[in-house]
Amino acid sequence: MEVESMKAELMGAPLREDPYDIKTPISDGTTIIGIIYEHGVMLACDTRTSSGTLISNKCSRKINRINENIYACRSGASAHSQKVIELIKYFCLSMKCENRKKGRFHEDEVITDDLANEEDIDINAINNPFGLAQNGDPNYVTKHKYFYEDKFMDFNPPVENVAHMTKKLLYANNNFLSCGLILGGYDKDKKQQLYSINLNGSIVQRFDYAVSGSGSVYIQSYLQDKYKKNMSKKECFELILGCVKYAMYNDNSSGGIVRIVNITKLFVEEFTVTNTQLHFDY
């Protein structure tokens, strides 16, 4: 009788919630940011992918190359945003094939480098600020530079077209998709451009900066205070790196390393920053 009564109590007791049940919604967190400066646009993000309280990946890639002159930062559900990026890449490739039929007409045109006379980012000074580094010490910042194959940008699709195509895709499937994007790029018509595409499919063209993700609430005031029009490349790099560091310091869902992509008229630079520590003088 006692066993039967215990079974009856267990059968009538409410079931405990399983935190790892696949049917429960997963809360994601990230920090993505884009800033326009005088000669281009910079995108940056952290690399931590979180599933609730679990860090599923601490070195993920949230900046994706859509075309050689267009990049996008992803936030929200990783699977949804990755699928959207794949579809937009296919759309860009289709537009590129259509544009190739028009041909080129640049016999005597000369392309000038807007950044030729501007101070570059000194990677060695960042890695070794006091000149005390020894051989074998790890580099905190690494840089890779990629020049455009289509230097006249005749075949590359306009950034605005790609952004609005992404908006239509998210809006048409907003009942199923849970992701947002910050899209930045450079084309010959409208130069550097930055678009913020929200979860519901709405799009906003930003002429200064755009932030998204769970870490964005910690850096809104910092950006409003530090941002200024027509910044140099070096100033923009320091600002965007500081923003992501502050977000990672305050937001538990943001972390890992910092990836920064600089999109200009002639090339794209990608920076990887492994030292994300902040030092406060209290």
Side-chain angles (χ1 to χ4, degrees), residues 197-257:
I197 307 169
N198 300 323
L199 298 174
N200 58 358
S202 60
I203 184 172
V204 179
Q205 183 176 5
R206 307 305 298 261
F207 297 95
D208 44 11
Y209 58 84
V211 290
S212 183
S214 59
S216 62
V217 296
Y218 300 101
I219 55 176
Q220 288 280 2
S221 300
Y222 180 78
L223 263 174
Q224 291 174 357
D225 180 51
K226 299 295 183 181
Y227 177 81
K228 59 183 180 181
K229 292 285 187 181
N230 298 324
M231 288 189 298
S232 66
K233 174 183 173 182
K234 186 176 181 180
E235 291 174 336
C236 185
F237 180 85
E238 293 174 353
L239 175 60
I240 202 168
L241 178 59
C243 287
V244 180
K245 282 186 176 183
Y246 274 111
M248 292 167 62
Y249 180 82
N250 292 285
D251 181 28
N252 290 331
S253 297
S254 302
I257 62 177

Side-chain angles (χ1 to χ4, degrees), residues 70-96:
I70 304 173
Y71 282 72
C73 294
R74 303 182 290 111
S75 65
S78 297
H80 296 179
S81 58
Q82 287 174 359
K83 190 61 180 179
V84 170
I85 293 295
E86 287 182 9
L87 295 174
I88 298 304
K89 280 184 178 180
Y90 174 77
F91 168 73
C92 285
L93 185 60
S94 301
M95 284 194 65
K96 211 168 183 178

Side-chain angles (χ1 to χ4, degrees), residues 2-16:
E2 293 181 359
V3 176
E4 292 179 357
S5 62
M6 291 176 63
K7 286 183 179 180
E9 291 179 1
L10 290 175
M11 291 293 292
L15 296 176
R16 295 182 179 178

Side-chain angles (χ1 to χ4, degrees), residues 14-274:
L15 296 176
R16 295 182 179 178
E17 294 185 1
D18 185 4
Y20 302 105
D21 185 8
I22 61 174
K23 296 182 180 180
T24 58
I26 297 175
S27 59
D28 300 323
T30 185
T31 299
I32 56 176
I33 179 174
I35 299 179
I36 287 181
Y37 67 99
E38 185 177 7
H39 299 300
V41 57
M42 280 194 188
L43 303 175
C45 68
D46 69 312
T47 59
R48 176 178 291 178
T49 300
S50 58
S51 301
T53 58
L54 174 69
I55 299 175
S56 56
N57 191 348
K58 61 181 180 180
C59 197
S60 62
R61 186 173 186 85
K62 299 178 185 178
I63 297 184
N64 291 89
R65 178 184 183 270
I66 295 179
N67 196 50
E68 62 179 1
N69 63 320
I70 304 173
Y71 282 72
C73 294
R74 303 182 290 111
S75 65
S78 297
H80 296 179
S81 58
Q82 287 174 359
K83 190 61 180 179
V84 170
I85 293 295
E86 287 182 9
L87 295 174
I88 298 304
K89 280 184 178 180
Y90 174 77
F91 168 73
C92 285
L93 185 60
S94 301
M95 284 194 65
K96 211 168 183 178
C97 293
E98 288 294 325
N99 292 337
R100 287 184 185 277
K101 299 177 182 178
K102 301 176 183 178
R104 295 184 188 272
F105 302 95
H106 301 280
E107 295 181 358
D108 301 323
E109 186 174 345
V110 178
I111 299 178
T112 58
D113 187 1
D114 297 334
L115 296 172
N117 299 323
E118 188 172 339
E119 183 182 3
D120 199 3
I121 300 170
D122 192 353
I123 302 298
N124 294 327
I126 299 175
N127 292 334
N128 186 20
F130 304 107
L132 301 176
Q134 303 294 328
N135 293 332
D137 286 351
N139 289 328
Y140 292 138
V141 182
T142 58
K143 181 177 79 170
H144 299 278
K145 194 172 185 178
Y146 311 98
F147 286 91
Y148 298 145
E149 294 180 1
D150 183 14
K151 62 180 181 179
F152 292 104
M153 291 194 178
D154 292 328
F155 305 146
N156 290 329
V159 182
E160 184 179 13
N161 291 7
V162 177
H164 282 273
M165 181 62 190
T166 308
K167 181 261 296 185
K168 289 183 178 180
L169 183 62
L170 290 180
Y171 180 75
N173 301 278
N174 60 359
N175 293 330
F176 313 102
L177 297 177
S178 176
C179 63
L181 300 173
I182 292 179
L183 192 142
Y186 195 106
D187 59 42
K188 64 179 181 180
D189 295 326
K190 294 190 175 182
K191 310 302 180 185
Q192 58 269 35
Q193 298 165 65
L194 185 66
Y195 296 89
S196 176
I197 307 169
N198 300 323
L199 298 174
N200 58 358
S202 60
I203 184 172
V204 179
Q205 183 176 5
R206 307 305 298 261
F207 297 95
D208 44 11
Y209 58 84
V211 290
S212 183
S214 59
S216 62
V217 296
Y218 300 101
I219 55 176
Q220 288 280 2
S221 300
Y222 180 78
L223 263 174
Q224 291 174 357
D225 180 51
K226 299 295 183 181
Y227 177 81
K228 59 183 180 181
K229 292 285 187 181
N230 298 324
M231 288 189 298
S232 66
K233 174 183 173 182
K234 186 176 181 180
E235 291 174 336
C236 185
F237 180 85
E238 293 174 353
L239 175 60
I240 202 168
L241 178 59
C243 287
V244 180
K245 282 186 176 183
Y246 274 111
M248 292 167 62
Y249 180 82
N250 292 285
D251 181 28
N252 290 331
S253 297
S254 302
I257 62 177
V258 182
R259 300 189 195 275
I260 301 174
V261 169
N262 176 36
I263 309 169
T264 65
K265 181 179 180 179
L266 297 177
F267 55 83
V268 171
E269 293 175 313
E270 182 174 346
F271 301 89
T272 303
V273 184
T274 58

